[in-house]
Amino acid sequence: MKKIVLLFTCLVLTASLSVSLLFAGGKQEVSEPAVAKEVPMTHEELVAAAQAEGKVVVYSVTSRIANAAKAFGEKYGIEVEATNLKDFELIEKISKEGSTGAAGADFVLCQDGGRVMGELLNLEYLYNYVPPTMKDQIPAEFQSPLAFAFINKVFIFNDEVSEAYPFTNIWALTTKEWKGNFQFKNPFQEGVNANFLTMVTKPEVADRIAKAYKDYFGKEIELTTPNAGYEWIRRILENDLVLTTSDTKTAESIGVKGQGKEHNAGLFVFSKLRYKDTKNLALAPIMEMEPFSGFYYPIYALMCSNAGHPNAAKLFIEFLLTEEGFSPWSSDLGTYSSNPSIPLQPDDYPMTTWVKILVEEDPAYCFEHRAEVEEFLNEYIY
């Protein structure tokens, strides 16, 4: 594990340094996303302007952008250059292009809200754009910055031995029965996982974790750390939490049949439940957990300030918010458009269900406090 962490440290050193410098100054205010002055256009005028540009360049944290790009190109006759990047790679690339004025992406599909707001939006390398045709369809709370979609990560277990939930309280993961039997992708390898661990230290979430402790153990929690959120992190790490390198590998490791283990679970993207059929794995979500069943976070669609093809980018963003444009994602479980009119898979749950049982990523809190949590994690992950 040490080699993995060191490798990651090398890859993200520059990016992390910029975060640390921003964090080092204390609680920098997270401002409202920049909004460029727009020239009003009808949809037909936007299409004509986009086709005159003839090309659009997008960086994306989701590989399914390739299929959407193909459909967009066929519909409008516009060339699409789509690049799939990890979240920290995308942030670093946009930071470099934004600070040097180099030609690059016209828009991005990005995640890791704290860093996106603090390092890209606040520095005006990106700006917010909501297609006029979507302003009445996308809920107002998802428009600034514009959320393209939401992803959820849920406690999931191997249900081959028993379909009954093996635990319903997160504190069970600190007991001897779960020692070495719970998996989670290394938070130093994916920003959203680090954000989740940051969110559990937020006072109102930590208070719920403290209550869950009392409900599970029948006594008040005795803290050795700043609050119950930190305490839970410490105890699952000390209980031999298995840190993995990808959610796919986590799902495969947990879900393979024939293991005969009663205690075998992880916290990873809900979309991996499709492997039940495609890879014959035994996987089931835990929907009734105290005090939460996992977390969710947005993928943002944001314009680049130095876009060379701004109208084509705006048209592509509009396309992605339609049922047609979102079809590469809606064909499976676990990715939820910010446009609530786009239907889900029949065996999925709507966001109205998830928001009640999952921890929501708060970009401002993550921006202000993630460095503290990462410093805490460094005591255990090396």
Side-chain angles (χ1 to χ4, degrees), residues 266-285:
L267 177 56
F268 53 94
V269 285
F270 184 77
S271 62
K272 299 304 181 188
L273 261 72
R274 68 181 185 274
Y275 292 167
K276 289 172 59 176
D277 297 325
T278 61
K279 296 187 178 184
N280 192 33
L281 299 183
L283 298 169

Side-chain angles (χ1 to χ4, degrees), residues 89-292:
E89 293 173 332
L90 188 151
I91 291 169
E92 175 67 9
K93 196 168 178 62
I94 291 298
S95 293
K96 286 184 177 177
E97 292 174 1
S99 62
T100 62
D106 297 308
F107 81 100
V108 295
L109 295 183
C110 56
Q111 64 184 30
D112 195 349
R115 293 193 62 191
V116 167
M117 294 187 76
E119 297 180 53
L120 304 181
L121 282 167
N122 280 4
L123 297 179
E124 299 187 0
Y125 299 150
L126 300 177
Y127 69 92
N128 201 45
Y129 168 77
V130 182
T133 55
M134 290 293 162
K135 287 186 176 176
D136 293 335
Q137 297 190 49
I138 308 298
E141 61 268 31
F142 302 153
Q143 293 192 17
S144 183
L146 177 64
F148 154 68
F150 296 92
I151 304 292
N152 53 351
K153 296 202 179 192
V154 179
F155 291 105
I156 295 172
F157 70 104
N158 184 316
D159 65 343
E160 185 180 24
V161 173
S162 171
E163 294 182 354
Y165 293 158
F167 63 109
T168 56
N169 188 307
I170 64 170
W171 285 101
L173 299 171
T174 69
T175 64
K176 63 180 181 180
E177 289 80 9
W178 284 95
K179 190 176 182 65
N181 290 321
F182 176 60
Q183 302 186 31
F184 184 58
K185 184 177 178 182
N186 191 322
F188 287 120
Q189 295 195 348
E190 190 174 24
V192 294
N193 280 19
N195 286 345
F196 164 65
L197 295 180
T198 303
M199 286 304 303
V200 304
T201 71
K202 190 175 183 179
E204 48 265 52
V205 180
D207 288 347
R208 294 167 56 200
I209 294 173
K211 180 181 181 303
Y213 180 95
K214 186 175 182 180
D215 291 344
Y216 189 77
F217 291 111
K219 60 183 181 181
E220 299 287 347
I221 190 169
E222 295 181 6
L223 298 177
T224 62
T225 55
N227 63 36
Y230 277 102
E231 198 69 25
W232 181 69
I233 294 171
R234 179 183 72 78
R235 296 195 191 187
I236 61 171
L237 286 168
E238 291 182 345
N239 206 36
D240 292 347
L241 169 67
V242 179
L243 293 170
T244 63
T245 57
S246 80
D247 281 358
T248 295
K249 291 179 180 177
T250 306
E252 292 171 344
S253 172
I254 291 170
V256 66
K257 294 181 178 178
Q259 298 183 72
K261 292 175 62 177
E262 293 184 11
H263 301 90
N264 188 9
L267 177 56
F268 53 94
V269 285
F270 184 77
S271 62
K272 299 304 181 188
L273 261 72
R274 68 181 185 274
Y275 292 167
K276 289 172 59 176
D277 297 325
T278 61
K279 296 187 178 184
N280 192 33
L281 299 183
L283 298 169
I286 303 177
M287 301 295 290
E288 298 172 7
M289 179 81 84
E290 290 296 328
F292 46 74

